[in-house]
């Protein structure tokens, strides 16, 4: 029997998706998706559809025959990665479970678990969050203090300062001296002491089989750079490496993605150098320029703004930071209201204006949730907070501690950590101090004693039993609790047992809001119930940039008060930017250091959040401390951002 030929039409596979992409994307987005290959840089202006472009790039690659497992997507939030994958899955109707996607730290953690032995670690190494890292640095600092004389002890900076110096050095490939100068040059005279603390800290981490967040990046870079077989294996695995928010990458992250794309040489990065505002943690807007200089690299620009009215877009074009890729945004939306420069006498009058104008906007039909007030520093909002409270206006502040950083949740996590890795000294130090009569000094001795015996192969509970007797130290309660806890392998069961047998009583003795904290622990147990092992739960929890917990007392329809840094990536119909005065914005330290570039980018990020209305508030008196004692500001308009804006693009209001 002669077989019948069945010919596929042009509406399947790549052609079908290509056709769909052509309909869904504008010309700039389409070119960035379809024509990008090799090293491709997409300069994405605010509101230009950055997420959409990355989403369709993923879908286009899948339709072209690239397997999900051959793509690595690096983002700065888990939510962003999840959103892009879900959208791409809807477009190309393919299962994306095998795709490597998530934050840089998440992807590095996956890789390091795979090759941990190459670096001298076991695969069950624990991850130190920022607070754990701080505690271990404090421990290292105390060890050093016990070895040096009194005068030198007084010279040591706080553990928090040492942590910042070390972290900046790791994330920027700076030597210790450069990093110290970045934070406080006066510490140069004790550089050798800081170096010793760092050395003790590094040794402690190694002994405890632990890595901090910086280690996840630095160790991944070191592994890929020095181990050719690992580099070639991993770079061969990923035919495409995609990076979101590329302007926020530091030099270590840039080097990692170059190494991961070193075989197939397909590196697709999307970002906006004008929105790079995290230099304090090592981000380099220069990475965008350096990428563009790679031989054969392609540059695409997304310049169509879908967010803001034409009036606001014209305003934005007038304040594009001076050291930026050339770009000119084009508005899709019709004209609305011109941005307003609002002059008030002081912050109290500014607060009164913002409140009154918000009430007028509510009467016009806007909701409280449509409105955001942005500021350079949190302290700039205090008068406004009081004004809103006085009038019983609901607001929420995008700040405060993350769920995993609250003391009670960190206590539970510490218990879970020693169940997985009993050599984790930081966690031992934390949990021991929860028990009566065990202070910092004795907890250090006990932790050292237990970890040393565990390192020799002894059971941790047995090690506790062997600690020398002392009338001030009662370890029976610790031993009895851990004796059962070490037999539990399910994370939810472990949390519930700990809560019932010990932690509920502890909370009721220590905190006036113990009931709310107990509910947080119950919520943590609910989350843990989704995981089979304690280790997998901890890895997911500690690599999450935010664990959202329902807060039933918060109201959705409330005004948002936020720093500009925390507003990045968000948008509102109505935006107030307050305290745009030299000394406030731009920040006085930046003025003194001659570092106005980043302040320009911060201001740019702020105004690009607005969709319909934009109000920029400045005080006639300016900041109370324009240059922190430098009086030459008065009458000098050089650093006033509002003076750079063409008069015809704005309205000017004077509040009386």
């Amino acid at each position: 029997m002669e077989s019948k030929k069945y010919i596929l039409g042009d509406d399947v596979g790549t052609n079908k998706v290509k056709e769909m992409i052509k309909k869904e994307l504008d010309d700039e987005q389409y070119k960035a998706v379809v024509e990008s290959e090799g090293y491709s840089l997409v300069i994405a202006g605010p509101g230009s559809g950055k997420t959409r472009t990355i989403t369709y790039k993923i879908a286009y690659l899948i339709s072209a025959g690239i397997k999900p497992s051959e793509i690595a997507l690096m983002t700065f939030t888990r939510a962003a990665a999840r959103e892009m994958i879900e959208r791409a899955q809807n477009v190309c109707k393919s299962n994306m479970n095998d795709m490597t996607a998530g934050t840089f730290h998440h992807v590095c953690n996956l890789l390091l678990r795979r090759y941990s032995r190459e670096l001298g670690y076991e695969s069950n190494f624990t991850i130190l969050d920022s607070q754990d890292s701080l505690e271990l640095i404090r421990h290292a600092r105390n060890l050093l203090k016990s070895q040096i004389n009194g005068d030198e002890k007084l010279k040591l900076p706080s553990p928090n300062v040492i942590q910042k110096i070390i972290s900046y050095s790791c994330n920027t490939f700076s030597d210790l001296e450069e990093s110290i100068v970045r934070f406080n040059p006066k510490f140069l005279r004790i550089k050798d002491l800081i170096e010793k603390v760092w050395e003790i800290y590094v040794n402690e981490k190694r002994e405890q089989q632990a890595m901090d967040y910086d280690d996840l990046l630095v160790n991944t870079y070191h592994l890929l750079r020095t181990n050719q077989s690992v580099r070639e294996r991993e770079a061969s695995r990923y035919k495409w490496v995609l990076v979101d928010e590329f302007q926020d990458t530091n030099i270590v992250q840039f080097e990692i993605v170059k190494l991961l794309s070193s075989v197939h040489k397909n590196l697709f990065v999307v970002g906006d150098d004008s929105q790079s505002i995290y230099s304090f943690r090592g981000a380099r807007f220069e990475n965008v320029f350096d990428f563009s200089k790679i031989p054969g690299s392609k540059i695409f620009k997304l310049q169509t703004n879908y967010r803001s009215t034409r009036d606001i877009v014209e305003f934005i074009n007038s304040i594009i930071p001076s050291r930026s890729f050339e770009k000119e945004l084009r508005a899709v939306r019709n004209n609305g209201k011109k941005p307003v420069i609002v002059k008030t006498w002081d912050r109290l009058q500014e607060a009164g204006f913002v409140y009154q104008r918000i009430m007028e906007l509510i009467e016009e039909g806007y909701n409280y949730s449509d409105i955001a007030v942005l500021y350079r520093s949190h302290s700039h909002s205090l008068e406004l907070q009081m004004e809103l409270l006085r009038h019983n206006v609901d607001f929420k502040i995008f700040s405060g501690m993350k769920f995993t950083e609250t003391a009670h949740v960190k206590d539970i996590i510490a218990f879970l950590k020693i169940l997985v890795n009993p050599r984790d000294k930081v966690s031992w130090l934390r949990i021991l101090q929860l028990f009566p009569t065990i202070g910092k000094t004795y907890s250090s001795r006990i932790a050292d004693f237990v970890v040393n015996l565990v390192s020799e192969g002894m059971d941790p509970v047995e090690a506790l039993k062997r600690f020398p007797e002392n009338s001030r130290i009662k370890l029976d309660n610790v031993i009895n609790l851990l004796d059962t806890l070490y037999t539990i392998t399910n994370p939810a069961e472990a949390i519930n047992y700990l809560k019932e047998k010990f932690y509920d009583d502890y909370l009721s003795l220590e905190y006036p809001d113990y009931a709310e904290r107990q509910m947080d622990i119950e919520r943590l147990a609910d989350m843990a119930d989704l995981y089979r092992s304690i280790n997998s739960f901890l890895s997911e929890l500690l690599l999450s940039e935010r664990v959202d917990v329902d807060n039933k007392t918060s109201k959705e329809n409330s005004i948002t008060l936020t720093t500009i840094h925390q507003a990045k990536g968000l948008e509102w119909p109505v935006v107030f930017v307050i305290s745009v005065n030299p000394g406030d914005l731009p920040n006085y330290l930046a003025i003194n250091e001659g570092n106005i570039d980043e302040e320009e980018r911060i201001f740019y990020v702020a105004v690009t959040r607005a969709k319909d209305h934009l109000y920029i508030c400045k005080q006639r008196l300016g900041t109370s401390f324009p240059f922190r004692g430098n009086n030459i500001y008065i009458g000098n308009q050089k650093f006033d951002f509002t003076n750079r804006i063409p008069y015809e693009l704005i309205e000017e209001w004077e509040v009386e």
Side-chain angles (χ1 to χ4, degrees), residues 506-517:
Y506 171 82
L507 287 175
S508 65
L509 290 171
E510 293 290 325
Y511 298 104
D513 60 342
Y514 70 93
E516 288 81 4
R517 293 175 186 259

Side-chain angles (χ1 to χ4, degrees), residues 78 403-404 409 413 416 490-493 495-496 519-533 536-538 540-542 544 546-550:
R78 295 173 67 222
F403 182 55
T404 52
V409 173
I413 290 174
L416 297 182
N490 179 279
E493 288 181 25
I495 293 171
N496 286 325
M519 286 190 286
D520 281 351
I521 303 306
E522 290 170 6
R523 173 68 177 127
L524 187 69
D526 289 341
M527 295 161 61
D529 204 30
L530 301 173
Y531 298 85
R532 295 180 180 177
S533 72
S536 61
F537 172 59
L538 285 175
E540 190 73 6
L541 189 68
L542 295 173
S544 169
R546 178 177 292 275
V547 180
D548 292 318
V549 178
D550 293 335

Side-chain angles (χ1 to χ4, degrees), residues 76 104-105 167-173 213-214 217-218 221 243 245-258 276 278-279 281-287:
F76 278 86
F104 274 88
H105 293 93
S167 182
Y168 186 82
S169 181
C170 290
N171 283 288
T172 60
F173 287 152
Y213 287 156
D214 296 331
L217 298 179
V218 173
Y221 165 72
V243 183
E245 303 286 8
F246 184 65
Q247 78 281 347
D248 293 334
T249 55
N250 59 38
I251 189 64
V252 186
Q253 292 163 328
F254 188 14
E255 291 300 321
I256 287 172
V257 295
K258 283 197 289 187
S276 181
Y278 296 114
S279 66
R281 64 188 189 201
R284 295 179 76 247
F285 77 95
E286 296 93 341
N287 281 355

Side-chain angles (χ1 to χ4, degrees), residues 59-104:
Y60 180 72
L61 291 175
I62 298 298
S63 70
I66 303 294
K67 299 174 183 175
S69 60
E70 297 171 332
I71 301 172
L73 170 65
M74 312 282 203
T75 64
F76 278 86
T77 67
R78 295 173 67 222
R82 189 164 53 246
E83 179 186 1
M84 291 173 192
I85 291 173
E86 289 174 355
R87 287 193 190 182
Q89 195 164 272
N90 290 335
V91 173
C92 63
K93 309 301 180 187
S94 295
N95 189 311
M96 298 289 187
N97 290 341
D98 292 335
M99 184 172 162
T100 300
T103 64
F104 274 88

Side-chain angles (χ1 to χ4, degrees), residues 317-382:
N317 281 329
S318 74
I319 54 108
I320 289 176
S322 51
R323 291 181 64 191
S324 295
F325 258 92
E326 185 179 342
K327 63 178 76 73
E328 184 172 354
L329 301 178
R330 296 181 298 274
V332 171
R333 297 183 59 199
N334 294 326
N335 274 340
K337 298 286 187 179
K338 283 185 177 182
V340 181
I341 304 296
V342 182
K343 295 181 179 179
T344 64
W345 184 250
D346 56 20
R347 283 189 186 160
L348 287 174
Q349 193 178 60
E350 178 183 76
F353 162 76
V354 173
Y355 161 71
Q356 183 171 309
R357 186 65 190 129
I358 286 174
M359 292 301 100
E360 293 167 353
L361 289 163
I362 296 300
E363 289 181 9
E364 292 175 18
Y366 285 98
N367 295 315
Y368 288 118
S369 58
D370 294 330
I371 301 169
V373 182
L374 280 53
Y375 34 83
R376 177 66 173 83
S377 299
H378 185 66
S379 61
H380 299 163
S381 70
L382 295 181

